[in-house]
Amino acid sequence: MANRNIVVAGLLALAAVPAEGQVLIRVGDPARATYSELHEGLRRGTPAADSACAVLRERRPAVLWRRMRVALAGEAVWNDAPLALTRLAELRDGAYADSAAKLSRAIEAGEVKAPPGQDPADLLAPLRAVALERARAARGDAALLRELLALIPTRQYGLGEAWVLGRLGRPASDSIRARFLAVDDPELKVRYLTLLSFSADTSAVPLLRRVYSAPDSFGVPPRYASRASDALLWIGTRSSLAALLEAREQARARGVYAAPELGRGGYDFLANDSSAVISRTGKWLTEWIEELEPGG
């Protein structure tokens, strides 16, 4: 992520990889499935989940900033850095928004080092989210939403912008869905679908279910319909997970994802998608559907 404002096609639009740097994580919500892009099979009550919860519940910006700095220095696990910055973005602290801007400039100038095997540029997205959430507090949701929506056709946006769009709730979700349905450009269509995977808006569930079960009906190449699966997982309610399971069964019956080229690692598309559920939520869909309360 050498440039925080540009999302290359292989990142947000055309590659089946999780977001790096910006964090989608949820632990301890009784109405929604656990979800993490930072952990493999995160389960509530484990040391990893307890550590994540401690960061996500922290209300002192100074503690979060220090935790990020310690991870950046290689004195704590690297995941603490993006996780702490994500929580810092939620707090919208003005002083640390200034600190985040300074650190971003230093990273872009090549002045910041990270532990071996890590890239400080991976922190640019959550640092950008810190700035955007502060702008949201100052200018209001409607103004920021207009600005972010205008960036999408230009391709001049990043994971920080995508994360903040996801936090803008139903108005953002409605706008993105309308654009997804209206646009003809296949790449833009996939971009809009990808952006929906950052939103936890339950009103998107019916559309996402239809997209996953019949992507061809919406002009979405089957390879990229996994974005709809990602979105239903992130919503994480009993209803959204049941919709994903139903859509998967319908797609299997129709042979939507049967083409060999859609497989990976010796497994077909739907098997890999099932594996992603375990990786991101720690349980099978059927387990979550049985465990979660109806509704949502």
Side-chain angles (χ1 to χ4, degrees):
M1 289 184 288
N3 186 323
R4 69 185 181 191
N5 293 320
I6 296 177
V7 175
V8 295
L11 188 54
L12 265 186
L14 300 179
V17 296
E20 294 181 2
Q22 189 56 55
V23 179
L24 288 178
I25 183 169
R26 177 179 54 239
V27 188
D29 184 341
R32 297 181 189 249
T34 297
Y35 185 102
S36 177
E37 292 180 333
L38 283 177
H39 308 83
E40 181 70 26
L42 186 67
R43 283 180 174 261
R44 188 167 45 190
T46 62
D50 291 344
S51 177
C53 284
V55 177
L56 295 171
R57 293 168 182 163
E58 180 59 63
R59 303 192 62 83
R60 295 166 294 176
V63 172
L64 294 165
W65 190 258
R66 183 166 59 250
R67 192 157 187 162
M68 178 274 296
R69 280 294 193 181
V70 169
L72 189 56
E75 298 170 5
V77 294
W78 177 251
N79 282 352
D80 276 8
L83 188 59
L85 288 174
T86 296
R87 176 57 178 157
L88 188 64
E90 294 175 346
L91 296 180
R92 302 179 179 178
D93 183 272
Y96 283 92
D98 292 340
S99 297
K102 291 177 183 176
L103 180 57
S104 291
R105 290 193 293 270
I107 291 173
E108 290 172 334
E111 299 169 355
V112 178
K113 295 187 181 299
Q118 305 297 342
D119 186 351
D122 285 346
L123 300 183
L124 289 173
L127 287 166
R128 176 63 174 156
V130 171
L132 287 169
E133 280 292 332
R134 184 61 184 168
R136 179 184 173 193
R139 301 204 301 273
D141 286 10
L144 186 61
L145 176 57
R146 285 194 299 271
E147 293 174 17
L148 295 179
L149 289 173
L151 292 176
I152 300 169
T154 72
R155 283 77 166 171
Q156 301 297 303
Y157 65 96
L159 293 169
E161 284 84 357
W163 182 80
V164 173
L165 266 173
R167 286 172 52 80
L168 288 172
R170 180 70 180 266
S173 175
D174 285 348
S175 297
I176 294 169
R177 276 182 282 149
R179 286 162 171 78
F180 166 78
L181 291 170
V183 73
D184 292 323
D185 182 331
E187 187 205 341
L188 272 178
K189 192 172 282 287
V190 173
R191 284 178 178 269
Y192 285 120
L193 182 59
T194 300
L195 288 167
L196 283 175
S197 72
F198 287 81
S199 172
D201 176 31
T202 57
S203 68
V205 168
L207 173 63
L208 293 167
R209 178 186 58 77
R210 297 198 308 272
V211 171
Y212 193 67
S213 64
D216 51 320
S217 299
F218 294 89
V220 174
R223 183 178 302 279
Y224 308 120
S226 59
R227 301 301 191 278
S229 174
D230 295 341
L232 289 165
L233 273 185
W234 174 238
I235 292 170
T237 62
R238 188 175 189 268
S239 296
S240 76
L241 300 182
L244 175 55
L245 186 61
E246 178 186 1
R248 185 182 291 164
E249 292 169 350
Q250 291 172 346
R252 187 180 298 281
R254 293 181 58 230
V256 172
Y257 302 107
E261 61 269 22
L262 296 178
R264 190 176 70 253
Y267 297 94
D268 67 21
F269 182 95
L270 292 174
N272 279 309
D273 195 61
S274 294
S275 177
V277 173
I278 292 289
S279 176
R280 295 187 185 185
T281 75
K283 298 180 183 179
W284 297 106
L285 284 178
T286 49
E287 293 181 85
W288 282 116
I289 291 168
E290 182 177 341
E291 177 179 324
L292 294 170
E293 293 293 327

